[in-house]
Amino acid sequence: MQISVREIINGMEGKQALLQILLAVQDASPENYVSEDAVNDIAYMLNVSRSRVYSTASFYSVISLKPRGRHIVQVCINAPCENAGKQEILAVLEDQLGVKLGETTADRQFTLEGVSCLGACYVSPAIKIDDRLYGDLTPELVVSILREYQEEATALDCNAS
Ligand code: FES
């Protein structure tokens, strides 16, 4: 059962910034996003306008207002990573996942996103999957990293059925 916005806000210590609340709501969402209902609930709970919640959510790229996959795969598309072989890494990700940048896999396990810098230029080319950073990537390394996540997803599906 999914936790409600009310439970999330009531469970937070002290007064939280709107961004922290949006992040917590997004983390609790199985589809990794802040839904329209959640925006309404947050606005109601905080006694602020819906447009204030929307504008904050839209301002931060870490917040999504659209459903995403269980895992968020972020590829750095900035120059240092570009020069270090990002194009090859992106091609492998798109091939292995069967999606293009900005898309979500049909099984809703992965969303592939391009970001301007992961703060890991010293290990470019780099990607981030959820909260975990991977650097100094090669195509082979990307395949084996993705395989771990795909195997985990298969194991979870088997346990759930
Ligand atoms: S430019 Fe790629 S991590 Fe910073």
Side-chain angles (χ1 to χ4, degrees):
M1 190 180 75
Q2 195 178 335
I3 187 165
S4 72
V5 167
R6 178 178 293 276
E7 289 169 308
I8 291 168
I9 293 176
N10 288 340
M12 296 175 102
E13 277 184 28
K15 199 169 177 324
Q16 296 289 326
L18 182 50
L19 175 61
Q20 300 316 118
I21 292 170
L22 287 164
L23 284 169
V25 168
Q26 178 171 272
D27 281 350
S29 158
E31 292 174 298
N32 248 319
Y33 84 119
V34 179
S35 68
E36 190 176 340
D37 284 349
V39 168
N40 293 341
D41 290 347
I42 293 169
Y44 176 78
M45 292 277 302
L46 300 186
N47 197 22
V48 297
S49 68
R50 290 175 65 236
S51 64
R52 165 128 187 258
V53 180
Y54 265 120
S55 62
T56 302
S58 312
F59 180 78
Y60 293 100
S61 61
V62 289
I63 301 293
S64 177
L65 292 166
K66 287 191 312 191
R68 296 185 296 176
R70 189 162 156 256
H71 298 292
I72 308 300
V73 182
Q74 294 182 315
V75 189
C76 173
I77 53 172
N78 253 14
C81 282
E82 182 76 55
N83 297 337
K86 171 236 115 192
Q87 212 44 52
E88 229 183 335
I89 299 306
L90 180 58
V92 173
L93 285 167
E94 289 181 337
D95 180 58
Q96 292 288 311
L97 297 175
V99 293
K100 297 283 180 202
L101 270 186
E103 294 179 349
T104 298
T105 57
D107 62 3
R108 306 211 67 81
Q109 286 297 320
F110 299 92
T111 293
L112 184 59
E113 295 181 342
V115 292
S116 61
C117 182
L118 294 166
C121 319
Y122 55 97
V123 288
S124 52
I127 65 170
K128 204 169 171 189
I129 302 182
D130 303 329
D131 292 330
R132 193 150 173 211
L133 181 74
Y134 298 91
D136 290 326
L137 291 170
T138 61
E140 296 74 25
L141 206 44
V142 171
V143 170
S144 85
I145 291 166
L146 281 181
R147 191 170 298 136
E148 280 178 38
Y149 284 88
Q150 285 160 333
E151 283 171 3
E152 179 204 296
T154 307
L156 283 174
D157 283 350
C158 289
N159 290 340
S161 56

